[in-house]
Amino acid sequence: MKQSLRQYYSFFKQFYLWKHLRKVCCKHIQCSDSACSHNLVIIPCDPETVGGSRGDEAMIMAVMQYYKKVNPSVRVFIVVTNQEGINYVKKIGGRPISTWDGAYPLKRVYNSILETKPREVVILGADCMDGYYSPYLSLMLLAFYDLFKASGIATYLLGFSFNMHPSALMLTAFRSVNKNLVFRLRDAVSLERFKKKTFSSCELVADAAFLLQPDYNFPEFSEFQEIVEKTTEYGEANYRI
């Protein structure tokens, strides 16, 4: 019971901080080509490990590949909370923004991202927008989408899934956002759930991970290739029998 009350209090304190920031602190950024044409900020849905799940990693790498193909000089900043996230971001060639720590970091993260003068902001929704894992985290991602849009920065909340039983706290948050925000769901079932539960503008998109380009140069490739070939041979032998 105490934990539920703490979660409720933390959620709504951050909720009202978001609304206050939206009213009085939101800065409209005029981004000139010379100042920030090479800067991209990615806000992951797991700022601790960043690429902790294969799905999250695939989405991040696909985004980075896409922007680097468009502009090889792009500088990619990724928001993190701790040293594990910093190490991962450096490993994949990004630049960490390590301000997502401590209680109620919304304004701190918002301002630190603005300091990079981003041309675009990409937010990973993935499996984390319905509050199943953490309503507080889901609220943060939603708030960033709203705030950076309001700041005049090209901002994208990538396609996400939506649980059959979303958090009641997040339903409150979705129903309070500006009506000009459009949400993108990555499967038809999630789209219908989202429409019925939130009444927000939404559309169906493919998962961003499908943009990921194949890479045959990773160390375990030959090992996996051998396993696949053996499995294929075994399957064909059974089929012939």
Side-chain angles (χ1 to χ4, degrees):
M1 182 67 174
K2 288 183 179 179
Q3 185 176 359
S4 297
L5 287 174
R6 282 197 298 268
Q7 183 185 64
Y8 185 90
Y9 174 80
S10 297
F11 182 92
F12 278 102
K13 183 169 182 177
Q14 189 75 312
F15 179 87
Y16 290 116
L17 285 173
W18 161 32
K19 294 303 179 181
H20 177 73
L21 187 61
R22 182 70 160 74
K23 286 183 179 179
V24 303
C25 302
C26 213
K27 306 168 185 176
H28 191 78
I29 306 300
Q30 294 296 331
C31 185
S32 67
D33 288 343
S34 59
C36 49
S37 60
H38 300 301
N39 293 351
L40 165 71
V41 173
I42 297 175
I43 303 177
C45 53
D46 180 3
E48 292 187 5
T49 63
V50 183
S53 77
R54 289 297 186 188
D56 293 350
E57 184 175 54
M59 293 177 77
I60 291 170
M61 298 308 298
V63 169
M64 291 180 68
Q65 285 178 354
Y66 171 80
Y67 279 93
K68 286 182 177 180
K69 185 177 180 180
V70 173
N71 181 357
S73 300
V74 67
R75 291 185 291 265
V76 181
F77 297 84
I78 302 178
V79 180
V80 302
T81 62
N82 55 26
Q83 191 61 47
E84 182 180 1
I86 290 172
N87 294 341
Y88 178 84
V89 169
K90 289 181 177 179
K91 180 182 175 182
I92 62 174
R95 304 179 183 203
I97 300 175
S98 54
T99 53
W100 191 328
D101 59 349
Y104 313 112
L106 186 65
K107 185 176 180 180
R108 186 168 60 254
V109 176
Y110 171 72
N111 285 328
S112 63
I113 289 176
L114 289 184
E115 288 174 4
T116 69
K117 293 182 168 57
R119 180 76 173 193
E120 297 182 55
V121 174
V122 174
I123 304 166
L124 269 68
D127 298 320
C128 295
M129 292 307 300
D130 52 29
Y132 177 81
Y133 293 106
S134 167
Y136 186 86
L137 172 62
S138 301
L139 179 68
M140 289 280 287
L141 299 174
L142 179 59
F144 285 134
Y145 182 41
D146 175 60
L147 291 173
F148 287 111
K149 275 281 194 181
S151 297
I153 298 170
T155 306
Y156 308 97
L157 174 60
L158 298 186
F160 56 90
S161 304
F162 207 68
N163 197 284
M164 185 183 297
H165 302 291
S167 162
L169 295 174
M170 279 309 297
L171 292 181
T172 299
F174 275 115
R175 291 169 183 170
S176 72
V177 298
N178 290 334
K179 299 305 179 184
N180 62 335
L181 288 183
V182 177
F183 297 94
R184 296 169 178 86
L185 286 295
R186 58 184 182 180
D187 66 86
V189 175
S190 291
L191 180 71
E192 290 306 311
R193 289 173 182 163
F194 188 82
K195 281 181 181 178
K196 291 177 181 178
K197 297 284 186 180
T198 70
F199 316 118
S200 299
S201 298
C202 55
E203 60 186 16
L204 183 64
V205 297
D207 194 317
F210 290 127
L211 291 171
L212 191 64
Q213 297 299 307
D215 178 10
Y216 305 107
N217 298 318
F218 62 97
E220 298 86 1
F221 176 75
S222 58
E223 178 185 346
F224 288 136
Q225 184 180 36
E226 184 179 349
I227 293 172
V228 171
E229 288 175 349
K230 284 183 178 179
T231 303
T232 304
E233 290 173 5
Y234 178 76
E236 288 178 349
N238 279 345
Y239 181 77
R240 285 196 296 270
I241 290 172

